[in-house]
Amino acid sequence: MMARITMIMLFVLYMINYADKTIAGYSAVPIMEEFSLSQKEWGLVGSSFFWFFSIAGILGAALSDRIGTKKMLAIMAISWTVIQFGAYAIAGLPMLVVARVLLGIGEGPFWATVVSHLNKWFPEEKRGLVYSTVNFGAFVGAVASAPLLVSMIDSNGWRFAWAFMGALSLVWLIIWLFIGKERPQISVNPTKMDTLSLPKAKWSDISGVLLSSTFILSFLIYFAQIWGTTFAAVWEPVYLVKVFELSNQQMAYAIAGTGLLAGLMTILISWMGDRLYKKHRSYRKSYVFIGGTSIILGGICFFAVPFLQSTALVLIALCLGKGFAFSVGTAASVIVSSLLPERTGLLVGVLSSLVTLAGIISPLVTGSIVQAAGNVGAGFGNAMIVNALLFVVCGALFLMFAKRNEQKNELNPPMTNAS
């Protein structure tokens, strides 16, 4: 029961996390009008969130291995609360940039800490499904929060909406302090070392893992997913409005519907990976196979989009493409967390921090491709093909080379007596 409560709490926290990320976009127009910001200045605000995100992710994830993941999650929730309430103190562009930089630092270690915490509560054969279920909080948060936050911004102003998100973090924190637990009384993986007793990480301990082909390929496949996720978040609305002439409301419903269905697909695909792992006790025959095959299928769906004329067919292809391609982050996290289990937080922190590079590069490359084509429809078609090629190439490499040399003890972990 406590394991399920833990998963639900982290699901809710991911909803808050994702809404915190996107609320700046919802409030862009009133903020730009209030502070007389240019498009270039607003672009500076948008990019500032990621300036120290990667560094914070690595350092914070390593810290979570030392002090415990429950404490680290509480620290992050406190930081989000303070920063979002601080909206009432923002008086211009410099303070706005500082607020987003600080929020990026506060959210950097989130996913790595969540993965490390869940690993204490769920055995290996269930982690793919558990990761994807918690990750589904991002999809739900994107759909559920938008109408509410936009309504708040219109009625009470953007500062009130930002502070409201801070209040949600505070409520979550209070509940977490009372019911959150660091680990179950009976460990689901008792053969692993207690991470709280670990010394500081040394480069010599982790360099071999970080430079291994499996880690690098896990990074590449996750990088490809973030590339596509960023494309969907930044450019898909423009694509549907400019190319298919949907109204803003029609576009919002289309993205919400396809996003929810894609999110459900990611859960189903991750569940399949768990089932295969339980059967074969092999990462190659489960998560590698599922992850590589899924992103290749996603690439095929994206490749088909420019050649479809019907809006309905395009939405179906986008839904399937996102569902297939955006599930691989779960597989990558499961595999990386198995490479050095006692340093799960640090390794997944490095992974999730490095892949944010895709979030910085993808919008710029897509914008250049669309602009260079001259025609908006042709430009977006070319961008879809670039996404597709990235998915297929990374998926094929992942299938061929990831986890080629699994250790015997990885394939046949000892059975426990815990009921």
Side-chain angles (χ1 to χ4, degrees):
M1 176 60 73
M2 192 60 214
R4 293 178 182 176
I5 293 174
T6 298
M7 184 174 67
I8 292 171
M9 288 294 294
L10 297 181
F11 175 91
V12 173
L13 188 61
Y14 207 179
M15 290 179 61
I16 297 172
N17 172 281
Y18 199 85
D20 278 342
K21 282 185 175 73
T22 57
I23 194 172
Y26 301 146
S27 49
V29 173
I31 290 176
M32 292 176 70
E33 291 177 351
E34 178 177 343
F35 298 133
S36 300
L37 302 181
S38 66
Q39 297 289 339
K40 185 176 181 179
E41 288 172 327
W42 182 250
L44 178 69
V45 174
S47 67
S48 63
F49 179 88
F50 294 100
W51 289 354
F52 298 101
F53 187 94
S54 297
I55 297 174
I58 296 172
L59 296 179
L63 180 62
S64 74
D65 286 339
R66 296 277 296 164
I67 67 174
T69 47
K70 178 186 175 180
K71 289 181 181 178
M72 194 64 200
L73 289 165
I75 290 171
M76 284 189 285
I78 292 172
S79 71
W80 305 352
T81 298
V82 173
I83 293 166
Q84 295 295 62
F85 272 113
Y88 283 105
I90 296 175
L93 176 61
M95 296 180 70
L96 187 61
V97 169
V98 169
R100 294 303 287 176
V101 168
L102 291 176
L103 187 62
I105 292 173
E107 293 194 356
F110 176 76
W111 181 244
T113 305
V114 166
V115 168
S116 184
H117 192 76
L118 290 171
N119 282 3
K120 301 171 186 177
W121 288 90
F122 295 93
E124 288 177 301
E125 64 268 17
K126 293 183 178 180
R127 288 176 186 169
L129 178 60
V130 171
Y131 291 174
S132 62
T133 300
V134 173
N135 187 61
F136 187 54
F139 290 90
V140 175
V143 174
S145 67
L148 176 63
L149 293 178
V150 170
S151 176
M152 284 185 180
I153 293 167
D154 292 340
S155 302
N156 305 103
W158 64 272
R159 289 181 175 84
F160 179 87
W162 287 35
F164 173 78
M165 292 306 306
L168 289 182
S169 298
L170 180 59
V171 171
W172 185 92
L173 171 65
I174 293 172
I175 298 173
W176 180 249
L177 292 177
F178 278 99
I179 70 172
K181 303 292 183 183
E182 179 67 27
R183 62 183 68 247
Q185 292 182 345
I186 301 177
S187 176
V188 299
N189 202 6
T191 62
K192 302 303 181 184
M193 185 185 300
D194 185 346
T195 58
L196 294 181
S197 65
L198 289 174
K200 291 183 179 180
K202 298 180 180 179
W203 172 249
S204 59
D205 296 333
I206 62 173
S207 59
V209 176
L210 296 179
L211 297 176
S212 67
S213 60
T214 295
F215 183 89
I216 293 171
L217 290 167
S218 296
F219 159 73
L220 287 177
I221 200 170
Y222 203 172
F223 180 93
Q225 176 192 317
I226 298 301
W227 184 286
T229 303
T230 307
F231 172 86
V234 176
W235 291 107
E236 187 180 358
V238 180
Y239 173 65
L240 294 178
V241 171
K242 295 292 187 180
V243 178
F244 291 92
E245 300 181 345
L246 300 184
S247 67
N248 286 334
Q249 192 167 14
Q250 289 173 328
M251 174 269 295
Y253 281 122
I255 290 178
T258 57
L260 279 176
L261 291 174
L264 292 173
M265 282 182 63
T266 64
I267 293 178
L268 176 61
I269 292 169
S270 297
W271 173 81
M272 292 170 60
D274 286 345
R275 294 286 294 178
L276 289 174
Y277 181 79
K278 187 175 182 180
K279 178 180 179 181
H280 299 290
R281 310 304 293 186
S282 166
Y283 287 97
R284 267 199 66 79
K285 295 179 180 179
S286 55
Y287 301 112
V288 172
F289 172 74
I290 289 293
T293 303
S294 293
I295 198 168
I296 289 173
L297 291 174
I300 293 172
C301 292
F302 267 76
F303 187 84
V305 168
F307 304 101
L308 301 174
Q309 302 300 318
S310 166
T311 303
L313 291 177
V314 166
L315 292 177
I316 291 172
L318 285 174
C319 179
L320 293 174
K322 291 186 291 186
F324 282 124
F326 297 176
S327 65
V328 298
T330 296
S333 298
V334 171
I335 291 171
V336 167
S337 69
S338 75
L339 298 178
L340 196 61
E342 63 271 21
R343 298 292 183 185
T344 292
L346 176 59
L347 289 182
V348 179
V350 172
L351 176 69
S352 58
S353 297
L354 290 176
V355 297
T356 60
L357 293 171
I360 299 172
I361 300 171
S362 173
L364 301 176
V365 172
T366 301
S368 298
I369 292 173
V370 173
Q371 184 171 333
N375 178 275
V376 175
F380 274 111
N382 294 337
M384 292 287 183
I385 293 173
V386 169
N387 283 338
L389 292 175
L390 181 64
F391 293 165
V392 171
V393 170
C394 290
L397 291 173
F398 189 71
L399 276 176
M400 288 188 291
F401 301 113
K403 276 287 186 182
R404 286 287 297 272
N405 299 311
E406 288 184 295
Q407 298 298 318
K408 185 176 180 180
N409 62 348
E410 286 181 338
L411 303 181
N412 299 286
M415 299 298 292
T416 73
N417 293 323
S419 60

